[in-house]
Amino acid sequence: MEGDVSCFDGLFDGHAHDRTALIEFRKYCAVDEGSSSYLDSLPQGNLMRFICDVFKAVLDGIDKQEESFALTDDQKRFRKLTLQCLVNAANRSKRLRECIDAESVHFFRAMLRLEAFRDEVLACLVAFARPLHRKAALCSEYSDLLNDIALLWRHSSTTAGQRSWISALVSIHLEEDYAFLAECLADMEDGAFTELLVITEALLDHLETGQCVQIHSNNARFCVILLERIELEIGTLELPSGDECADESRRTKLKFDVVERLSSLVSIISSLALRRPQFDPIFHDDTTATTIVAHVLEAIVDYEIMKENAVVCVAKAPDRPMRPKQSRREAVKLPFVRNLSALLRRNVASEEQIASLKCMCVRALGNLCCESASNQSIVGKQDGVLLLLHCARRLDTDSPFIMQWAIAAVRHVCMGCPENQQRLAEIEQCPSGVVDRDRLLLQLNLRAVFDSGTGKIRLERIS
């Protein structure tokens, strides 16, 4: 085939498609390295016509308005074959990839609706990801394409293989487009953007994937900026109060799923905080992310306190007094903490979602404070030690390993930080419903000792 332009053009000569030739071409591009130079030597017009012919072959006779239309198995196999030819050729030839244009977005959206060819279409999108993103970014339908792709992530019909293609596509843009997340927030629908954050969260959690996906520092910083924006938006909400408007308050919702979006952002920050020193300027030199994550956790703890205090308790026996009601923490005076706690009490999320967000916050604070003096200091000043200890008391609705994450977080907050160690040592010695100090210190491999020289309690390692 090499050097013969007529053979290439003949792949889609009229409507008499030569399947044998297509199969040979697919194999040629897949296994023969010479196919790269061959394709790059072809005139641009021929390459553009090849792309157009593939789109037409896949969409031939398909009326998206006619729901009853169905393809035969033979027609499906042929369309898959043409798309596979395009994928293999695009992977070989940069010249072919550069022939894609903004008008292709319309065809990609149409093909993506065809479930039978979704694997091949997503593979095409990955192959053409860079030039298509560059040429079609300002096209209004391109944001619709991103919406479609993001919403496929958790669709019931989406396979694991298709999620892998979506992951590959998103990871390319996260690494190479410094404004990818910011532009997506501006252009995508709220639900689709939340799904994009879920995809980003999954990609960056290398403990789950076993791979370290790269992300541009501007996209990482944007996650903190978006967290600040959510804090401001929730903090300035005017929520109804009083029994007379209880029904209305339960329906109070922001234009996005606040708990799910917060969970994804906190999880992303938790993962990136461990990538040192790459993201130190964002997550360790700057304590903004740590402060907001602590405030989110404060709101969840306040929600739990209010929920427990609302339960009417009956003494099980005369000699067993009822547990006293807990006092709300000082942080509830902050507008964001107060309003987020109120939103959680208005059923804007399920108990499972709240428990997941709580665990994410605890884990994130531990990662942010690990060998980070600035974050340790800010958490200590905000009474974060006792806040994390509150989370070490597992509730029925909590995630299974919340206690272990909380203990690990306390360790990271206190290790190498005498001020936080002192705060931990000065906690009430008597075991309580919140924390058994001596047992906790034992789990941290520490013990409290009285320093006769200073007259203060200090912590020392158990040898």
Side-chain angles (χ1 to χ4, degrees):
M1 178 176 288
E2 189 167 352
D4 190 348
V5 178
S6 62
C7 291
F8 178 78
D9 291 340
L11 292 173
F12 295 96
D13 185 13
H15 291 283
H17 306 305
D18 187 344
R19 300 195 183 195
T20 302
L22 285 171
I23 293 172
E24 288 297 322
F25 180 73
R26 179 184 63 181
K27 180 179 178 181
Y28 171 64
C29 292
V31 302
D32 194 331
E33 294 183 0
S35 60
S36 177
S37 58
Y38 165 66
L39 290 168
D40 287 343
S41 69
L42 296 175
Q44 184 177 5
N46 296 68
L47 296 175
M48 294 179 69
R49 186 162 53 251
F50 171 63
I51 295 173
C52 185
D53 286 342
V54 170
F55 291 162
K56 288 180 179 179
V58 175
L59 297 172
D60 182 37
I62 296 179
D63 184 355
K64 62 182 179 181
Q65 302 297 330
E66 186 179 347
E67 297 181 0
S68 61
F69 183 86
L71 295 171
T72 65
D73 290 342
D74 189 57
Q75 289 173 323
K76 290 179 181 179
R77 283 193 293 270
F78 170 71
R79 285 162 169 78
K80 281 177 175 286
L81 175 60
T82 59
L83 285 169
Q84 290 164 2
C85 287
L86 180 59
V87 172
N88 289 357
N91 285 333
R92 284 293 185 187
S93 172
K94 180 179 179 181
R95 183 177 174 84
L96 174 63
R97 294 194 296 270
E98 290 297 329
C99 289
I100 204 74
D101 55 29
E103 294 180 0
S104 303
V105 173
H106 173 76
F107 297 104
F108 277 122
R109 289 196 70 204
M111 293 188 295
L112 203 57
R113 297 188 187 100
L114 305 175
E115 187 176 338
F117 318 121
R118 197 164 285 160
D119 286 271
E120 288 77 15
V121 175
L122 288 171
C124 276
L125 284 167
V126 172
F128 288 102
R130 293 173 177 86
L132 184 64
H133 187 67
R134 186 175 65 253
K135 296 179 180 182
L138 299 180
C139 173
S140 60
E141 198 169 9
Y142 184 67
S143 59
D144 295 330
L145 176 63
L146 293 177
N147 283 336
D148 297 341
I149 294 171
L151 292 174
L152 278 175
W153 180 258
R154 288 192 289 190
H155 194 274
S156 58
S157 66
T158 304
T159 65
Q162 291 165 3
R163 291 190 185 92
S164 296
W165 288 118
I166 295 173
S167 298
L169 180 65
V170 173
S171 64
I172 290 172
H173 299 321
L174 283 174
E175 180 180 2
E176 299 182 7
D177 183 355
Y178 66 90
F180 178 63
L181 290 180
E183 291 171 350
C184 287
L185 176 64
D187 298 335
M188 294 176 67
E189 297 173 358
D190 290 317
F193 179 75
T194 299
E195 287 297 312
L196 179 62
L197 289 179
V198 172
I199 298 170
T200 304
E201 171 192 356
L203 287 173
L204 296 178
D205 189 355
H206 61 277
L207 294 178
E208 294 289 338
T209 62
Q211 298 178 344
C212 188
V213 174
Q214 296 301 315
I215 179 174
H216 196 284
S217 60
N218 282 13
N219 286 318
R221 188 179 298 278
F222 177 76
C223 291
V224 181
I225 294 172
L226 184 55
L227 203 58
E228 288 183 282
R229 177 172 171 174
I230 294 175
E231 181 185 40
L232 177 63
E233 190 167 348
I234 293 178
T236 54
L237 277 178
E238 294 184 4
L239 297 176
S241 59
D243 296 336
E244 68 279 0
C245 54
D247 292 336
E248 179 185 351
S249 65
R250 290 191 187 97
R251 294 194 296 269
T252 302
K253 286 182 71 70
L254 298 171
K255 63 180 180 179
F256 55 87
D257 188 331
V258 58
V259 172
E260 185 165 23
R261 189 168 290 190
L262 281 173
S263 291
S264 295
L265 287 171
V266 171
S267 179
I268 291 169
I269 290 170
S270 176
S271 297
L272 295 180
L274 296 176
R275 299 193 185 184
R276 309 189 67 176
Q278 181 181 3
F279 295 115
D280 276 11
I282 302 173
F283 300 112
H284 297 282
D285 298 342
D286 187 342
T287 60
T288 301
T290 305
T291 300
I292 300 177
V293 171
H295 289 169
V296 174
L297 187 56
E298 287 279 12
I300 297 172
V301 168
D302 184 70
Y303 156 76
E304 292 175 346
I305 291 174
M306 295 293 288
K307 183 180 176 181
E308 286 188 31
N309 288 347
V311 176
V312 178
C313 298
V314 179
K316 296 182 180 180
D319 61 337
R320 298 183 65 181
M322 293 184 296
R323 178 185 296 174
K325 293 185 180 296
Q326 298 185 59
S327 300
R328 301 177 75 179
R329 291 170 53 83
E330 284 293 315
V332 77
K333 296 178 181 178
L334 298 173
F336 169 71
V337 175
R338 182 176 61 252
N339 284 352
L340 180 56
S341 174
L343 283 173
L344 296 179
R345 297 196 301 275
R346 286 161 170 77
N347 301 323
V348 299
S350 66
E351 292 289 351
E352 292 77 11
Q353 287 178 308
I354 297 173
S356 177
L357 176 57
K358 177 183 177 182
C359 192
M360 290 290 185
C361 289
V362 171
R363 176 181 169 185
L365 286 177
N367 291 351
L368 287 162
C369 291
C370 181
E371 299 181 3
S372 177
S374 57
N375 285 332
Q376 287 176 326
S377 176
I378 198 69
V379 169
K381 290 177 181 177
Q382 294 183 357
D383 197 24
V385 175
L386 193 56
L387 175 66
L388 289 169
L389 291 178
H390 184 102
C391 299
R393 180 177 66 98
R394 186 176 183 274
L395 305 178
D396 293 338
T397 56
D398 276 334
S399 299
F401 298 104
I402 183 69
M403 184 182 299
Q404 287 77 9
W405 281 115
I407 292 172
V410 171
R411 177 189 292 272
H412 290 314
V413 168
C414 294
M415 285 301 177
C417 182
E419 297 82 5
N420 288 345
Q421 291 179 9
Q422 186 65 27
R423 292 183 177 101
L424 180 61
E426 291 174 351
I427 293 174
E428 176 63 39
Q429 187 171 1
C430 297
S432 67
V434 176
V435 61
D436 181 341
R437 189 197 67 178
D438 291 336
R439 181 183 176 187
L440 174 68
L441 291 177
L442 185 61
Q443 289 176 306
L444 293 174
N445 200 35
L446 298 170
R447 64 182 175 187
V449 296
F450 180 75
D451 190 330
S452 57
T454 61
K456 294 183 178 180
I457 298 175
R458 61 180 176 83
L459 298 181
E460 65 178 22
R461 289 182 180 273
I462 300 175
S463 57

